[in-house]
């Protein structure tokens, strides 16, 4: 059933604000991880796709001269795990004294509980050089570099992947406003990164209001997950936020910049099963620990995981009481 979506409106406004601020990290996190990601601009050659576009869009935005933004209309709709939006806005470029109406359309897909851009289109009446006194080259340069060296160099190995996600983020963001919410999420991500690194892990990326991290030790990953939840419980600042955490252990491919493999997708699915303030782990991660007395588990559950065949067993990791000495 198609319906208007205030949640998607808020996501699109955060996207437009991030473009205006040239916040490449936020924009990258808001783009789909799918190879079917698409972008269509109005200038010749502005048609990009896949993860090369995702990697290079931050540099593309930084090439845009400073401009003033006035939104005239924005509407958004959703139907299941797909949403779309249409925006009209006037952009004014002081360096060329030009002012033009722009038309934007967005298609979003619900990925790991978050709306992410999977298709974007922007149109305007003039070539970029006439409109804003500059042309774009960053994405073209990235694509050419990839064509020159299109073999992904990577090393494989066993790792525990951890996903975290803020529960009810869209509702909170609407309640407190984009500025406060952006600050809150930024502080949370920094605290999570510090916790991960203190436990010997590595934050691979922040995913809007969540994170993806890896550990060479399943024990270290679970200790970090517990520490994150205990830290959230002790926080007294508002807005109060809750996170869900999921972990899975398996073979990954490390390219130095990112991690790939079935383990990554499965860890995200395990995280999606966790409720507020919960840490859910896969059976593979549970088996890595054996009878370690430092951890306790409950709610062993067997069931399907979206995108995977068969039945998968997961466990809740206890964190509310300190482990025994």
């Amino acid at each position: 059933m198609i319906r208007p979506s205030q949640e998607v409106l808020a996501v699109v406004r955060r996207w437009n604000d991030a473009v205006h601020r040239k916040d490449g990290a936020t924009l990258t996190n808001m783009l789909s991880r799918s190879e079917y990601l698409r972008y269509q601009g109005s200038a010749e050659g502005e048609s990009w796709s896949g993860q090369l576009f995702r990697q290079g869009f931050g540099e593309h935005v930084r090439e845009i001269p400073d401009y003033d933004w006035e939104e005239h209309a924005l509407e958004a709709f959703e139907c299941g795990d797909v949403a779309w939006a249409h925006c009209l806005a006037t952009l004014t470029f002081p360096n060329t004294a030009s002012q033009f109406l722009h038309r934007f359309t967005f298609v979003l897909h619900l990925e790991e509980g978050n709306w992410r851009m999977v298709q974007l289109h922007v149109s305007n009446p003039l070539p970029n050089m006439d409109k804003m006194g500059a042309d774009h080259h960053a994405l073209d340069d990235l694509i050419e570099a990839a064509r020159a060296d299109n073999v992904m160099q990577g090393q494989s190995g066993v790792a525990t992947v951890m996903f975290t996600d803020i529960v009810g983020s869209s509702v909170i963001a609407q309640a407190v406003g984009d500025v406060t919410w952006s600050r809150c999420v930024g502080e949370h991500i920094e605290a999570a990164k510090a916790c991960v690194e203190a436990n010997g892990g590595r934050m691979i990326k922040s995913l809007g209001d969540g994170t993806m991290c890896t550990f060479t030790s399943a024990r270290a990953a679970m200790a970090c997950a517990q520490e994150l939840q205990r830290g959230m419980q002790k926080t007294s600042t508002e807005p109060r936020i809750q996170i869900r955490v999921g972990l899975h252990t398996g073979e990954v491919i490390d390219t130095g910049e990112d991690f790939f493999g079935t383990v990554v997708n499965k860890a995200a699915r395990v995280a999606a099963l966790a409720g507020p303030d919960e840490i859910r782990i896969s059976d593979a991660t549970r088996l890595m620990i054996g009878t370690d007395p430092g951890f306790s588990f409950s709610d062993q559950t067997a069931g399907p995981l979206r995108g995977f065949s068969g039945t998968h067993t997961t466990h809740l990791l206890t964190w509310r009481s300190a482990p025994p000495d």
Side-chain angles (χ1 to χ4, degrees):
M1 176 178 169
I2 299 174
R3 62 185 180 86
S5 176
Q6 292 298 316
E7 180 181 8
V8 175
L9 278 178
V11 171
V12 172
R13 285 200 170 106
R14 287 202 295 274
W15 169 270
N16 288 339
D17 179 64
V19 172
H20 193 203
R21 293 184 290 107
K22 304 181 184 180
D23 185 350
T26 295
L27 295 169
T28 300
N29 290 335
M30 294 182 72
L31 287 168
S32 170
R33 274 73 179 160
S34 170
E35 285 299 329
Y36 298 114
L37 173 66
R38 296 291 186 268
Y39 176 89
Q40 182 64 59
S42 57
E44 183 177 356
E46 284 190 345
S47 181
W48 302 301
S49 63
Q51 293 309 291
L52 277 176
F53 165 65
R54 183 172 176 270
Q55 295 168 23
F57 189 63
E59 290 301 320
H60 172 80
V61 168
R62 277 189 279 273
E63 292 179 327
I64 302 175
D66 291 340
Y67 62 90
D68 296 321
W69 168 278
E70 182 183 1
E71 177 188 299
H72 301 300
L74 175 61
E75 54 184 357
F77 308 90
E78 62 179 283
C79 182
D81 59 0
V82 175
W84 56 97
H86 174 260
C87 179
L88 293 175
T90 295
L91 275 63
T92 303
F93 295 89
N95 63 325
T96 59
S98 60
Q99 184 180 75
F100 297 104
L101 181 70
H102 284 58
R103 298 170 291 275
F104 304 86
T105 59
F106 310 86
V107 178
L108 301 91
H109 182 240
L110 197 58
E111 299 179 6
E112 300 160 8
N114 294 304
W115 288 111
R116 303 197 188 283
M117 303 290 180
V118 72
Q119 194 274 341
L120 304 102
H121 170 260
V122 56
S123 60
N124 55 76
L126 282 180
N128 286 332
M129 183 60 73
D130 294 343
K131 176 187 67 174
M132 61 186 186
D135 272 330
H136 290 296
H137 302 286
L139 277 165
D140 291 334
D141 293 343
L142 177 65
I143 291 169
E144 286 304 313
R147 287 172 178 163
D149 183 16
N150 61 6
V151 178
M152 183 179 73
Q153 301 296 323
Q155 296 181 342
S156 63
V158 175
T160 297
V161 178
M162 178 177 78
F163 277 88
T164 73
D165 176 55
I166 296 177
V167 179
S169 58
S170 297
V171 175
I172 302 173
Q174 280 188 275
V176 302
D178 289 342
V179 174
T180 298
W181 182 240
S182 178
R183 173 187 55 77
C184 180
V185 171
E187 291 173 352
H188 166 63
I189 297 297
E190 286 302 312
K193 182 178 180 181
C195 181
V196 168
E197 293 177 350
N199 282 277
R202 174 180 160 201
M203 182 176 287
I204 303 302
K205 61 182 76 172
S206 58
L207 310 169
D209 51 18
T211 66
M212 170 187 165
C213 307
T214 62
F215 299 79
T216 56
S217 161
R219 192 184 199 286
M222 293 198 299
C224 179
Q226 290 177 323
E227 188 176 331
L228 280 173
Q229 290 289 25
R230 290 174 185 145
M232 299 298 296
Q233 186 181 49
K234 294 176 182 177
T235 301
S236 59
T237 57
E238 294 184 356
R240 297 294 301 274
I241 59 177
Q242 297 172 294
I243 62 171
R244 57 169 61 91
V245 184
L247 299 97
H248 175 52
T249 303
E251 187 175 33
V252 297
I253 299 173
D254 181 1
T255 68
E257 297 295 330
D258 210 340
F259 272 69
F260 299 89
T262 303
V263 60
V264 175
N265 296 331
K266 188 168 181 178
R269 297 291 179 252
V270 172
L273 295 178
D277 295 332
E278 288 185 349
I279 303 169
R280 188 160 285 276
I281 70 169
S282 70
D283 208 32
T285 303
R286 170 71 181 86
L287 290 171
M288 295 291 287
I289 297 301
T291 58
D292 190 324
F295 301 97
S296 60
F297 307 91
S298 64
D299 191 31
Q300 177 176 317
T301 303
L305 284 181
R306 187 161 64 89
F308 292 87
S309 60
T311 299
H312 303 264
T313 301
T314 63
H315 310 257
L316 282 182
L317 172 63
T318 302
W319 63 267
R320 294 183 186 276
S321 60
D325 295 330

